[in-house]
Amino acid sequence: MSEEKAIIVTGGTRGIGRGLITGFHAAGYRVLACARSEPDEPLRDGDREAIFMTCDVRDPEQVDAVVDRAHTEFGRIDVLINNA
């Protein structure tokens, strides 16, 4: 498990969310992105790729699944951006 900081970005497949992912990758963060629809192309910056999960943030069970996955993959959540 990496000691890099970890972030969840909701609404992360396009526009501002995608820009945030690129910026946080550049800053060395591990990223879990979620949105209601799949991204058009992989959420990557160079050799770094975000983990993606389909999630409707209006559904508490789906949100819990995203948080659980972040804890499993990263062991921590340092930042949450509610962009959705």
Side-chain angles (χ1 to χ4, degrees):
M1 194 167 317
S2 174
E3 291 302 314
E4 295 171 312
K5 292 195 178 201
I7 183 170
I8 295 173
V9 178
T10 68
T13 57
R14 294 177 184 83
I16 293 169
R18 191 170 189 110
L20 289 165
I21 290 167
T22 300
F24 277 98
H25 271 153
Y29 281 71
R30 298 178 71 200
V31 179
L32 191 154
C34 64
R36 289 184 300 169
S37 60
E38 297 275 334
D40 295 333
E41 40 187 65
L43 301 172
R44 59 186 320 68
D45 179 51
D47 61 345
R48 300 176 68 95
E49 185 167 352
I51 296 169
F52 176 78
M53 291 182 69
T54 302
C55 176
D56 184 335
V57 296
R58 299 172 294 183
D59 182 336
E61 290 180 8
Q62 290 183 35
V63 172
D64 287 345
V66 168
V67 171
D68 290 345
R69 176 89 182 267
H71 279 132
T72 298
E73 296 287 336
F74 308 143
R76 62 199 277 171
I77 300 168
D78 298 293
V79 179
L80 169 63
I81 296 182
N82 291 308
N83 181 58

